[in-house]
Amino acid sequence: LGLGRGGAPPPPPLVNAGISKTRGQSKVKSMFQKKSKEIVKLFQQTMRDQMKQERKGMPSKTPGTSQAREARPRIDPSDVKFELESKSKHIAKIKEDVAEQGEMLRTLADAIKGFQGATEPLLVFVADMESKLHGLSDENQVLKYFQWPQAKMDALRESSSLAQELRKMARALEAWGSKRADESVLRGLDRYQAADLVGQAVHEMDKIQPRVEKIMCEAKTVQDKFSKFKIELKVEELIGAVKNGSVSLASAAMRAALLHLSEDKTQMLKIFKFAFRVHQFSVDGLQGEACDLFRKLH
């Protein structure tokens, strides 16, 4: 057959192969290609023009030009001198504190190392410690010159801050209740003022509850840490005082509701749910008069 070494000969060219496609399809394809190319060209031309405009508006940054040299900030020798003098004065003040307050700081360091006690002694001790350290020019730098019990001091500060925060919460709740839960005060309200008081009670609860619950989650860890430094802070007792103090919020809200909002079923249900929330949050729950108010609300 004359195939030779190259194998089968190539197939003959197809004559009029494009006839299988309709003239309409070929026309659409050519139009699509022409349109696409035109859009691409227009887009590219526009982008080139835009880049040229942006370059014209940009200042020259060629190194060595007078404009580039003018753009560089100049360092005023007087500023450097002032900075060096300031640092020298600061270092001199630190050394002066080390020399003059050295004996007091060594005594205080020993007192910090030897401290052990519960909440009241802790608050007194930390207040005295802070008053002595307050006068130092730079506490961190001065204390580096001594064998300072930094970890113990940090624990004292942290425990004192926590105790003060929880006590402040408890006092705020007590003050809020004594001011707003009084029967004579509540009777003088109208229904709008009563609804506003309920809103205030809910707002106060929304402020303290997340923070207290966060402290509760960390209570075991911080208690163990404080105990290592012989700080016997009663975290659970302080938390309990805040939680029980929240009952005053529910009591005020329930009294206001019973006096002025009994016709508003939606408000009554809202306050009923709020009172139960406080009951769940507090340590002892609603007891005594608060429990009676809850029954009447029901």
Side-chain angles (χ1 to χ4, degrees), residues 83-201:
E83 185 178 352
L84 292 172
E85 288 178 350
S86 298
K87 286 183 178 180
S88 299
K89 289 178 181 177
H90 184 62
I91 293 170
K93 185 59 179 173
I94 290 170
K95 292 182 177 179
E96 182 181 333
D97 284 346
V98 172
E100 294 182 359
Q101 306 295 332
E103 188 61 33
M104 180 274 290
L105 291 172
R106 279 185 283 270
T107 302
L108 181 58
D110 292 337
I112 292 172
K113 293 174 185 176
F115 175 84
Q116 55 182 350
T119 306
E120 292 301 334
L122 168 70
L123 294 175
V124 173
F125 181 85
V126 172
D128 179 65
M129 178 186 75
E130 297 292 10
S131 68
K132 291 176 178 176
L133 295 174
H134 180 72
L136 299 178
S137 57
D138 187 328
E139 180 184 303
N140 291 333
Q141 294 300 320
V142 171
L143 298 183
K144 286 180 180 179
Y145 287 83
F146 301 89
Q147 294 294 322
W148 196 257
Q150 187 66 42
K152 178 76 175 279
M153 183 178 74
D154 291 343
L156 287 167
R157 281 175 166 168
E158 183 182 353
S159 57
S160 174
S161 176
L162 180 60
Q164 289 179 9
E165 181 185 5
L166 290 169
R167 282 191 166 188
K168 184 178 179 180
M169 285 185 193
R171 286 195 299 268
L173 288 171
E174 183 181 356
W176 194 98
S178 62
K179 183 178 179 181
R180 294 172 177 81
D182 184 78
E183 188 77 19
S184 61
V185 174
L186 291 173
R187 286 189 180 280
L189 302 178
D190 58 32
R191 62 188 302 268
Y192 299 105
Q193 291 171 326
D196 183 61
L197 184 144
V198 172
Q200 291 176 31

Side-chain angles (χ1 to χ4, degrees), residues 52-82:
K52 288 177 182 177
Q53 291 293 331
E54 290 177 355
R55 287 196 187 105
K56 287 179 182 178
M58 292 174 64
S60 176
K61 295 184 179 179
T62 307
T65 63
S66 59
Q67 186 178 359
R69 285 195 296 269
E70 289 173 3
R72 295 178 188 142
R74 295 181 178 180
I75 300 174
D76 191 341
S78 62
D79 292 340
V80 177
K81 182 181 178 182
F82 175 77

Side-chain angles (χ1 to χ4, degrees), residues 1-11:
L1 296 175
L3 297 178
R5 295 183 181 180

Side-chain angles (χ1 to χ4, degrees), residues 232-246:
E232 302 304 327
L233 185 67
K234 305 298 182 184
V235 180
E236 291 184 0
E237 289 182 10
L238 293 167
I239 291 173
V242 177
K243 296 181 77 172
N244 284 334
S246 67

Side-chain angles (χ1 to χ4, degrees), residues 4 16 19 42 70 104 109 116 130 155 170 178 224 227 230 293 295:
N16 295 329
I19 295 176
L42 287 171
E70 289 173 3
M104 180 274 290
Q116 55 182 350
E130 297 292 10
S178 62
D224 291 345
S227 296
K230 300 179 181 179
L293 290 169
R295 291 194 188 97

